[in-house]
Amino acid sequence: MSAAIMTTTQETKAATRQKVASLAFWSIVVACVVLVLKLVAWYITGSVALYSDAAESIVNVIASAAAFWAIQVSYKPADQDHPFGHHKAEYFSAVLEGVLIVVAALLILNEVWRSWQHPAPLEQPWKGLAVNGVATIVNAIWAWILISSGRNAKSPALVADGQHIMTDVVTSVGVFGGLVGAVLTGWQILDPALAVIVALNILWQGWHVIGSSMNGLMDRAVDTQEHMQIRDIISANSKGAMEVHDLKTRIAGRATFIEFHLVVDADMTVGASHVICDRIEDALKAEIPSVRVTIHVEPDDEAKLPKGTTAVPFA
């Protein structure tokens, strides 16, 4: 790998790390601000639906702190005990967030039960809804920032945090509309009914977050589009080789691991085959951030395609 490419790659990684860490830190701050606003809205109104909204925000605070810790760990360089790096640490944060979501849902259902046993009219509903509306707008903007930035940086922790917050936004919008209806119609039953819907919605989201994170821990391959991109890059830069086969990929947080077999003429020197490998590796690293490439060079008697094949050198 050339010195220029290595320097550029290191600078890009450093910039990405700083951006991800900064977003993770500010996510804690934003979560705390939103939590305070929602607690104020609940305190003003006494609404169990707004309580459910605030309970989910408590999860956001804890999850944001866990994501910040996981991201710091995930960026640690490889060591003797972790030779492949610490990239998967972010998945543990996402799993924790999913578990906390489930806990929040159970707390909400408990509060709903208490509300049904001791119903009470809403107090100052419009003031409470206004405060909650401000919190929802802040959440919506921040969720969009986290999801878009997390996907660009391939950070599961940021994406999971952003998706959870976006679910919180959808929940808040539903609660807002429902409580407006409850105030206008006088149907107090709408308040606990909305809280039940909120609880079921975040239970589903918690299951989704846990499932997605567990999928990552199980070494999921890249999607079809990225797989074809990898094939094209290898094919375009494998001049001098006879064939490529057994291409395998896996994702571990930000890192993408790629390995394949490269078939060359049995009479080719080690040095010549190494040049081809370097060319392919440099091309992959230039297009795919945080990629780890392993190439197994084989002689032509290991080829899977018929001799004389001139098509794309993949079996």
Side-chain angles (χ1 to χ4, degrees):
M1 190 173 184
S2 66
I5 294 177
M6 183 178 294
T7 300
T8 302
T9 301
Q10 290 175 343
E11 291 176 349
T12 301
K13 286 182 179 180
T16 301
R17 176 178 181 176
Q18 184 176 4
K19 180 179 180 180
V20 170
S22 177
L23 285 170
F25 172 77
W26 281 106
S27 190
I28 300 174
V29 176
V30 172
C32 289
V33 171
V34 170
L35 172 60
V36 171
L37 289 173
K38 290 189 174 183
L39 286 174
V40 169
W42 167 57
Y43 179 78
I44 291 173
T45 62
S47 165
V48 68
L50 291 182
Y51 167 85
S52 68
D53 215 6
E56 191 173 4
S57 291
I58 294 175
V59 175
N60 285 349
V61 173
I62 299 173
S64 296
F68 180 73
W69 169 83
I71 287 170
Q72 302 304 313
V73 174
S74 72
Y75 273 104
K76 288 184 178 180
D79 53 36
Q80 185 174 354
D81 294 329
H82 306 88
F84 293 99
H86 301 77
H87 308 94
K88 288 188 177 182
E90 293 193 39
Y91 289 121
F92 291 101
S93 168
V95 170
L96 173 62
E97 182 164 354
V99 172
L100 290 174
I101 291 173
V102 173
V103 172
L106 296 177
L107 291 174
I108 291 169
L109 291 174
N110 179 67
E111 187 65 21
V112 169
W113 176 250
R114 291 175 55 189
S115 176
W116 269 333
Q117 289 181 317
H118 306 285
L122 299 179
E123 300 177 9
Q124 304 184 68
W126 298 117
K127 184 181 294 185
L129 286 172
V131 174
N132 197 261
V134 173
T136 301
I137 293 172
V138 172
N139 253 357
I141 296 173
W142 190 247
W144 179 82
I145 292 173
L146 287 180
I147 293 173
S148 58
S149 300
R151 285 174 177 168
N152 291 335
K154 290 192 173 182
S155 171
L158 284 185
V159 173
D161 201 16
Q163 288 175 337
H164 178 209
I165 294 174
M166 188 58 75
T167 301
D168 192 14
V169 171
V170 174
T171 298
S172 297
V173 172
V175 167
F176 185 90
L179 286 181
V180 169
V183 173
L184 295 178
T185 62
W187 296 349
Q188 294 184 17
I189 191 65
L190 285 178
D191 185 30
L194 283 170
V196 171
I197 295 174
V198 170
L200 294 177
N201 179 52
I202 65 176
L203 271 175
W204 178 88
Q205 179 65 16
W207 175 256
H208 177 74
V209 170
I210 292 173
S212 177
S213 302
M214 293 301 292
N215 198 19
L217 289 171
M218 294 297 291
D219 289 335
R220 177 177 60 85
V222 300
D223 59 33
T224 302
Q225 182 178 355
E226 189 168 1
H227 182 86
M228 296 309 297
Q229 178 192 13
I230 291 169
R231 282 177 61 107
D232 290 342
I233 293 172
I234 294 173
S235 180
N237 292 275
S238 59
K239 183 178 180 181
M242 300 176 62
E243 177 185 301
V244 176
H245 60 243
D246 291 348
L247 172 63
K248 298 176 183 177
T249 63
R250 65 183 177 92
I251 299 173
R254 298 176 309 281
T256 300
F257 290 83
I258 301 172
E259 62 177 74
F260 57 89
H261 294 188
L262 183 73
V263 179
V264 300
D265 191 296
D267 296 326
M268 180 177 286
T269 64
V270 173
S273 63
H274 187 67
V275 169
I276 300 174
C277 292
D278 277 349
R279 185 168 65 241
I280 296 172
E281 187 175 353
D282 287 349
L284 288 169
K285 289 183 176 180
E287 296 294 329
I288 304 172
S290 299
V291 71
R292 308 287 191 275
V293 184
T294 301
I295 306 174
H296 180 62
V297 179
E298 297 180 332
D300 50 20
D301 60 355
E302 296 290 336
K304 294 185 177 182
L305 290 173
K307 289 186 178 180
T309 300
T310 57
V312 177
F314 266 90

PDB file of all heavy atoms in Angstrom, residues 114-121 188:
ATOM      1  N   ARG A 114     -52.189   1.342  36.794  1.00  0.00           N
ATOM      2  CA  ARG A 114     -52.467   2.224  37.933  1.00  0.00           C
ATOM      3  C   ARG A 114     -53.425   3.336  37.529  1.00  0.00           C
ATOM      4  O   ARG A 114     -54.311   3.736  38.301  1.00  0.00           O
ATOM      5  CB  ARG A 114     -51.167   2.818  38.453  1.00  0.00           C
ATOM      6  CG  ARG A 114     -50.245   1.816  39.139  1.00  0.00           C
ATOM      7  CD  ARG A 114     -48.930   2.465  39.522  1.00  0.00           C
ATOM      8  NE  ARG A 114     -49.135   3.649  40.342  1.00  0.00           N
ATOM      9  CZ  ARG A 114     -48.173   4.504  40.672  1.00  0.00           C
ATOM     10  NH1 ARG A 114     -46.936   4.306  40.225  1.00  0.00           N
ATOM     11  NH2 ARG A 114     -48.446   5.551  41.422  1.00  0.00           N
ATOM     12  N   SER A 115     -53.263   3.838  36.292  1.00  0.00           N
ATOM     13  CA  SER A 115     -54.121   4.915  35.816  1.00  0.00           C
ATOM     14  C   SER A 115     -55.563   4.449  35.659  1.00  0.00           C
ATOM     15  O   SER A 115     -56.506   5.191  35.968  1.00  0.00           O
ATOM     16  CB  SER A 115     -53.589   5.438  34.477  1.00  0.00           C
ATOM     17  OG  SER A 115     -54.454   6.424  33.943  1.00  0.00           O
ATOM     18  N   TRP A 116     -55.746   3.230  35.185  1.00  0.00           N
ATOM     19  CA  TRP A 116     -57.099   2.701  35.028  1.00  0.00           C
ATOM     20  C   TRP A 116     -57.777   2.474  36.385  1.00  0.00           C
ATOM     21  O   TRP A 116     -58.988   2.610  36.530  1.00  0.00           O
ATOM     22  CB  TRP A 116     -57.053   1.386  34.252  1.00  0.00           C
ATOM     23  CG  TRP A 116     -57.188   1.590  32.765  1.00  0.00           C
ATOM     24  CD1 TRP A 116     -57.821   2.609  32.145  1.00  0.00           C
ATOM     25  CD2 TRP A 116     -56.664   0.746  31.741  1.00  0.00           C
ATOM     26  NE1 TRP A 116     -57.721   2.480  30.779  1.00  0.00           N
ATOM     27  CE2 TRP A 116     -57.025   1.336  30.504  1.00  0.00           C
ATOM     28  CE3 TRP A 116     -55.930  -0.430  31.731  1.00  0.00           C
ATOM     29  CZ2 TRP A 116     -56.681   0.770  29.274  1.00  0.00           C
ATOM     30  CZ3 TRP A 116     -55.595  -0.991  30.506  1.00  0.00           C
ATOM     31  CH2 TRP A 116     -55.957  -0.402  29.302  1.00  0.00           C
ATOM     32  N   GLN A 117     -56.966   2.142  37.388  1.00  0.00           N
ATOM     33  CA  GLN A 117     -57.523   1.925  38.720  1.00  0.00           C
ATOM     34  C   GLN A 117     -57.885   3.240  39.407  1.00  0.00           C
ATOM     35  O   GLN A 117     -58.830   3.300  40.196  1.00  0.00           O
ATOM     36  CB  GLN A 117     -56.523   1.149  39.587  1.00  0.00           C
ATOM     37  CG  GLN A 117     -56.362  -0.308  39.197  1.00  0.00           C
ATOM     38  CD  GLN A 117     -55.386  -1.032  40.101  1.00  0.00           C
ATOM     39  OE1 GLN A 117     -54.320  -0.502  40.444  1.00  0.00           O
ATOM     40  NE2 GLN A 117     -55.738  -2.256  40.500  1.00  0.00           N
ATOM     41  N   HIS A 118     -57.100   4.287  39.096  1.00  0.00           N
ATOM     42  CA  HIS A 118     -57.329   5.603  39.729  1.00  0.00           C
ATOM     43  C   HIS A 118     -57.335   6.691  38.645  1.00  0.00           C
ATOM     44  O   HIS A 118     -56.375   7.471  38.514  1.00  0.00           O
ATOM     45  CB  HIS A 118     -56.236   5.899  40.759  1.00  0.00           C
ATOM     46  CG  HIS A 118     -56.073   4.815  41.792  1.00  0.00           C
ATOM     47  ND1 HIS A 118     -56.962   4.630  42.823  1.00  0.00           N
ATOM     48  CD2 HIS A 118     -55.114   3.853  41.927  1.00  0.00           C
ATOM     49  CE1 HIS A 118     -56.572   3.606  43.566  1.00  0.00           C
ATOM     50  NE2 HIS A 118     -55.455   3.112  43.048  1.00  0.00           N
ATOM     51  N   PRO A 119     -58.391   6.767  37.838  1.00  0.00           N
ATOM     52  CA  PRO A 119     -58.442   7.766  36.757  1.00  0.00           C
ATOM     53  C   PRO A 119     -58.484   9.192  37.302  1.00  0.00           C
ATOM     54  O   PRO A 119     -59.045   9.446  38.370  1.00  0.00           O
ATOM     55  CB  PRO A 119     -59.738   7.409  36.025  1.00  0.00           C
ATOM     56  CG  PRO A 119     -60.566   6.703  37.053  1.00  0.00           C
ATOM     57  CD  PRO A 119     -59.607   5.954  37.918  1.00  0.00           C
ATOM     58  N   ALA A 120     -57.862  10.097  36.552  1.00  0.00           N
ATOM     59  CA  ALA A 120     -57.845  11.506  36.969  1.00  0.00           C
ATOM     60  C   ALA A 120     -57.848  12.376  35.721  1.00  0.00           C
ATOM     61  O   ALA A 120     -57.252  12.018  34.700  1.00  0.00           O
ATOM     62  CB  ALA A 120     -56.609  11.798  37.811  1.00  0.00           C
ATOM     63  N   PRO A 121     -58.527  13.532  35.774  1.00  0.00           N
ATOM     64  CA  PRO A 121     -58.558  14.424  34.601  1.00  0.00           C
ATOM     65  C   PRO A 121     -57.184  15.060  34.348  1.00  0.00           C
ATOM     66  O   PRO A 121     -56.372  15.196  35.261  1.00  0.00           O
ATOM     67  CB  PRO A 121     -59.587  15.489  35.005  1.00  0.00           C
ATOM     68  CG  PRO A 121     -59.547  15.491  36.511  1.00  0.00           C
ATOM     69  CD  PRO A 121     -59.284  14.074  36.913  1.00  0.00           C
ATOM     70  N   GLN A 188     -61.509  10.617  28.538  1.00  0.00           N
ATOM     71  CA  GLN A 188     -60.287  10.405  29.314  1.00  0.00           C
ATOM     72  C   GLN A 188     -59.656   9.038  29.053  1.00  0.00           C
ATOM     73  O   GLN A 188     -58.465   8.839  29.281  1.00  0.00           O
ATOM     74  CB  GLN A 188     -60.578  10.564  30.805  1.00  0.00           C
ATOM     75  CG  GLN A 188     -60.985  11.981  31.200  1.00  0.00           C
ATOM     76  CD  GLN A 188     -61.178  12.127  32.696  1.00  0.00           C
ATOM     77  OE1 GLN A 188     -60.719  11.302  33.479  1.00  0.00           O
ATOM     78  NE2 GLN A 188     -61.873  13.192  33.105  1.00  0.00           N
TER      79      GLN A 188
END
